[in-house]
Amino acid sequence: MSPHEIPFVRLLLPFLAGIASGAAVDVPLRGGWVALALGALGLVVWSVRKQSYRFRWAYGAGLAGWLFLAGYCSVVQRDERRLPHHFSRICPTATAWVGVVCDVPDKGAKLKVPLRIRAAREETGGWKPCEGYLLLFLDHTSRADSVRYGDRLWVSARALPVEPPKNPDAFDYRRYLHYRNIHYQAFVRDGEFGLIDRGHGNPLWHMAYSWRERLLTILRDYFPTRDEYAVASALLLGYKEDLSEELRTTYTQTGSMHALAVSGTHVGLVYAALYFLIRRIPWRQRYKRWGDALLLLLGIWSFALVTGATPSVLRASLMFTLFLIGKALHRHASTWNILGATAFLLLLYNPYYLFDLGFQLSFVAVAGIIGLYPLFNRYSPDLPKWLRGPWDVLLIGVAAQLGTLPLSLYYFHQFPVYFWLAGWVVVLGGAVYLWGAGALVVLHLLLPPLAEGVGWGLYYVLLGMNTLMRSIQHLPGSVVQGVWISSWAAACLYISIAYGAASLWHHRPRWAMVALAALLCVAVDRLIRQVGQLYQERLVVYAAGRHWLVDFFSGPNAYSWSDDISERRERMIAEAHRWSSGVVHPPVRVDARFDRPFRSANLWVQPPFVQFSNSLLAVVDSPLLPANADRPPVAVEALILHNNPRVTVEECLRHFQPKVVVIGASNREWRTQRWRAECERLQLSVHDVRQQGAWLFDAKP
C-alpha cells in the first residue's frame, strides 16, 4: 500500500486528531474560523506557486495543521448549546414549548420523543422563537403512542439538564445524548402535551418512514410469533423495538448482534440482488454503465433511508456510491482510499459520528476484512470448490471479528467464543431471508397466494436460525465475560494486530517484535490492575432508586446485600463496576437478620451494624429504640439511612458517632431534604446518593 494511493487516509488522520482533541478540550477558539480561512488561502497560494522540492514537507505539515484545526473547530461548534438562539439562552426557565418531532419515537419503558423546539414561553411573558433539541419522556397511552415523525406538539413541562450516570462504570447516557446534540429532557404526564398539526419535517423522511410502516405491517401478517417477527423486522429494516431481552442476549453472546442492526452486510446483499436483476436490462451500450450505476444507487440509498440511515448503513452506502461512480468513470481506486474518503465525508457532515459506536465498529470491521482477509487467504489450504464459499465466509468473519475485537472488549467486556459458528448461521440464513423478503414484498402486492408459500418458508428459516443461535449460546464456554481493558490497552491491541499482520505479509521480523511489545504493554497493564484488586477492601452503596443494593469488594471476591431488586435491574446497575473491580463470578448473597447475622472472613452484618474489614458502619432502616443514657454513642465510619426510616439525625447521633451521613436513594425527597438541613446545621458531612450518585468507601485494611 503506497502512501500515494491513499490520499484520503492521510488527510483523515489529522482531521480525526482534531475532532478527538476538540471533544476532549471543548473550548471554542477565538478567531478559529478566521484562522481556517486565512490558512486555506495560504495553502492555495502555496500550491499554485512553484516551491523548492526540499520544502515539500512544509506544505504537508501546513495542510495537516489546517485539517487538525478544522476538525477541532467543527466538533466544538457542533454543540447546539453554543447557538445564539438556543432555548437555554433565550428562555432558561421556560415551562411551555412548541416543537416538531424530529425522529421516530423510541419505545421502551417510556416513550422517548425527540423534539426540535420552535418556540418557548416562561411563566411570565409571551412566546419567544428559539431552537434546540428536547427529549420528552411520555407514559404509554393511546395519545402518546400515536405521536409520529413530523408532528408539531405543544408541551407544558420544565426542561432539565440530562444527568450524569449515578453509579460507577455505568453507561453514560448523558454522553450518549451529547453526541446526538441532545442536552435537555422533560418528563411529561398525560394531559401535559397535545398535537397541533401533522406533516412537518423532511418530506423524504416522511416517505421513508411511511414505507417502513407499510413493510412492518406486511411482515406482521407472515410472521405470527413474536421472536420471528422481531428478527424479521430487524434483519430487513433495522427495527429492533420488538426484540425481547432474551433474544438480544442470545445474539449478543454469540457475537451476532450486528446481524440485527442493518449494516454493510445487508447493503452488500441488497447490492448483489439489485446487480443480479439490473444487469439483465437490455441497455444500449452507451447507456449501460451509467444506467446500471444510477439504478443501483437509487436502490441502495432507498434501502438506507427506509432503515433509518444509521452510521453503519451510511458508511456502506457511501462506499458503494464511490465504488460505482469510479467504475462508471473507468477509475480503479484503492479500497483503503475509498474507506478513508467515506469516513472523511461522513465526519465532515457530522463530526459527532466519530463517537458513535456503530460508526466505529463498522469501520474497524471493514478495515479488518480489507487488511486481514487477503492474509488469511494467502495461507489457506487448497480446498474443493464446493467448500470454498463456506471457507471464505469463515475467513471474512474471523477478519471482521479481529478488527472489532479491541473495541468489543473495551465497550462490552466480553468475547463470544463461537462467533465463527454463529457467523455461518447469520450470514447464510440472513442472505436467504433478505433476498426472500424482497420477493415476499413484491409477491404480496402482485400474487398474494404465492406470497403465502414464500412467507411460510421464510418463517421456518428464521425459526431455525433462532433455534440454532440459542443452541450455540448454550454450548459450554460460549462467552468469556468480565474482560475489562483501558482505552490505551485497546489501542495497543490494534497496534499488535496491525504490525502482526504486516510482519506476516511482508516477512518483517522487526514488525513482529513491535506486535509482541504492544501485547506486553497490555499484559503489564492488566497485571498492575489485578495486583491492585487483590488488596481492595471497598464498599459501594449504589443509586438503585427505591431499592437497596450494596456491594462489598474484598480482593477478587464480592458480597452483595440487596432487597427484592430484580436480577435484570441489578445487572444494569452493578455488573459493569463488578467487572471493573475484577469480580467475574457472581457475588455471595448477604442474608442479614437480627436473629442470624451474616459472617465471613472479613464481613459481619447484623443490622444496624456492619463490620467490614476494620471499619464499622451503621445502617438505619427503621425507628431506633430509645438510647441508653449510660452508654456513649458508638463511633462509626458512616451512618447510612435507608428505606425512609422515621428518625431524625439528632436521634441517630444519640446512638452513633459518624464521620459522614449517607442518605440512600430509597428515601422520600422531603425526608432527604430535612436530613440534609439537619446535617448542615450540625456541621456533619453528608452524601446524598440520589443527587451525588453512589457512595464508595475504602475500608481500613
Side-chain angles (χ1 to χ4, degrees), residues 560-642:
S560 183
W561 186 14
S562 63
D563 53 15
D564 58 347
I565 187 171
S566 67
E567 181 181 352
R568 179 175 179 270
R569 181 162 174 76
E570 178 182 344
R571 189 168 61 249
M572 290 176 60
I573 293 171
E575 187 175 61
H577 186 60
R578 290 169 182 170
W579 285 349
S580 72
S581 301
V583 177
V584 179
H585 302 291
V588 178
R589 295 293 168 181
V590 174
D591 182 15
R593 305 175 187 174
F594 282 97
D595 57 342
R596 191 177 64 189
F598 177 86
R599 296 179 183 272
S600 70
N602 58 349
L603 177 63
W604 175 70
V605 181
Q606 184 172 12
F609 291 106
V610 174
Q611 178 76 40
F612 181 49
S613 191
N614 290 324
S615 298
L616 183 65
L617 304 98
V619 178
V620 175
D621 61 355
S622 60
L624 295 167
L625 297 174
N628 191 333
D630 297 333
R631 293 183 181 179
V634 179
V636 294
E637 296 291 338
L639 169 65
I640 304 174
L641 299 171
H642 153 66

Side-chain angles (χ1 to χ4, degrees), residues 24 43 89 93 141 174 233 240 286 359 382 409 438 457 476 504 516 525 532 534 543 584 632 641 677-678 683 699:
L43 290 171
R89 297 171 180 261
T93 60
T141 61
R174 182 174 68 170
S233 56
K240 297 185 288 186
R286 58 184 298 186
F359 179 91
D382 292 331
L409 294 179
L504 288 174
L516 292 175
D525 173 69
L534 286 175
V584 179
L641 299 171
E678 276 193 276
Q683 296 183 343

Side-chain angles (χ1 to χ4, degrees), residues 110-384:
K110 285 184 175 291
L111 190 70
K112 289 180 279 189
V113 180
L115 199 68
R116 182 65 179 175
I117 299 300
R118 298 293 184 224
R121 186 185 66 188
E122 296 178 316
E123 291 183 358
T124 57
W127 289 95
K128 297 179 182 179
C130 53
E131 55 186 326
Y133 291 102
L134 180 63
L135 184 62
L136 307 181
F137 287 85
L138 310 178
D139 293 323
H140 284 282
T141 61
S142 57
R143 180 164 55 170
D145 290 336
S146 66
V147 173
R148 296 290 183 268
Y149 170 79
D151 290 355
R152 188 164 63 152
L153 306 178
W154 65 264
V155 179
S156 177
R158 191 174 295 276
L160 302 171
V162 179
E163 295 183 342
K166 298 293 187 182
N167 294 301
D169 300 306
F171 174 67
D172 194 343
Y173 190 60
R174 182 174 68 170
R175 177 183 171 88
Y176 171 82
L177 289 181
H178 168 70
Y179 291 126
R180 280 152 182 78
N181 235 339
I182 299 175
H183 304 94
Y184 290 87
Q185 60 188 0
F187 296 89
V188 185
R189 291 174 294 187
D190 193 27
E192 295 181 340
F193 74 98
L195 176 68
I196 299 175
D197 54 12
R198 297 184 184 272
H200 298 268
N202 190 313
L204 192 62
W205 284 114
H206 267 295
M207 183 172 60
Y209 292 140
S210 175
W211 288 351
R212 184 163 76 168
E213 288 298 326
R214 293 177 185 175
L215 291 173
L216 288 173
T217 303
I218 293 173
L219 293 178
R220 289 190 190 98
D221 294 337
Y222 294 98
F223 299 91
T225 54
R226 178 184 176 183
D227 283 351
E228 281 60 49
Y229 165 72
V231 174
S233 56
L235 282 172
L236 182 62
L237 302 170
Y239 184 81
K240 297 185 288 186
E241 302 294 337
D242 295 314
L243 287 172
S244 64
E245 187 65 26
E246 180 266 337
L247 199 61
R248 287 178 185 268
T249 303
T250 296
Y251 277 83
T252 299
Q253 293 187 351
T254 54
S256 305
M257 194 60 191
H258 65 278
L260 302 185
V262 175
S263 61
T265 304
H266 301 74
V267 178
L269 291 172
V270 170
Y271 168 82
L274 291 174
Y275 184 72
F276 175 80
L277 297 174
I278 291 173
R279 66 184 297 188
R280 283 158 175 75
I281 297 177
W283 300 100
R284 291 187 178 183
Q285 190 60 34
R286 58 184 298 186
Y287 301 120
K288 182 171 179 57
R289 283 188 294 125
W290 287 105
D292 287 353
L294 290 175
L295 288 178
L296 285 169
L297 290 176
L298 180 62
I300 288 172
W301 283 103
S302 298
F303 179 73
L305 288 174
V306 171
T307 56
T310 59
S312 58
V313 173
L314 287 176
R315 189 270 311 159
S317 302
L318 192 53
M319 282 192 71
F320 275 110
T321 300
L322 296 176
F323 166 74
L324 288 170
I325 292 175
K327 185 179 178 182
L329 293 172
H330 294 296
R331 299 291 181 89
H332 174 73
S334 165
T335 312
W336 285 107
N337 198 48
I338 292 177
L339 188 65
T342 303
F344 189 85
L345 292 174
L346 288 176
L347 293 175
L348 201 62
Y349 167 71
N350 184 357
Y352 280 165
Y353 277 159
L354 179 61
F355 309 100
D356 184 274
L357 181 57
F359 179 91
Q360 295 175 8
L361 290 174
S362 176
F363 274 91
V364 296
V366 175
I369 294 171
I370 296 172
L372 297 176
Y373 172 69
L375 178 66
F376 295 160
N377 206 26
R378 172 190 281 189
Y379 292 99
S380 293
D382 292 331
L383 296 173

Side-chain angles (χ1 to χ4, degrees), residues 169 175 355 357 360-361 404-415 482-491 493-494 525 529 576 579-580:
D169 300 306
R175 177 183 171 88
F355 309 100
L357 181 57
Q360 295 175 8
L361 290 174
T404 59
L405 175 62
L407 281 184
S408 298
L409 294 179
Y410 178 69
Y411 284 115
F412 306 120
H413 318 294
Q414 64 182 18
F415 176 71
V483 181
W484 196 276
I485 64 173
S486 61
S487 56
W488 79 268
L493 282 177
Y494 273 118
D525 173 69
R529 189 180 188 88
W579 285 349
S580 72

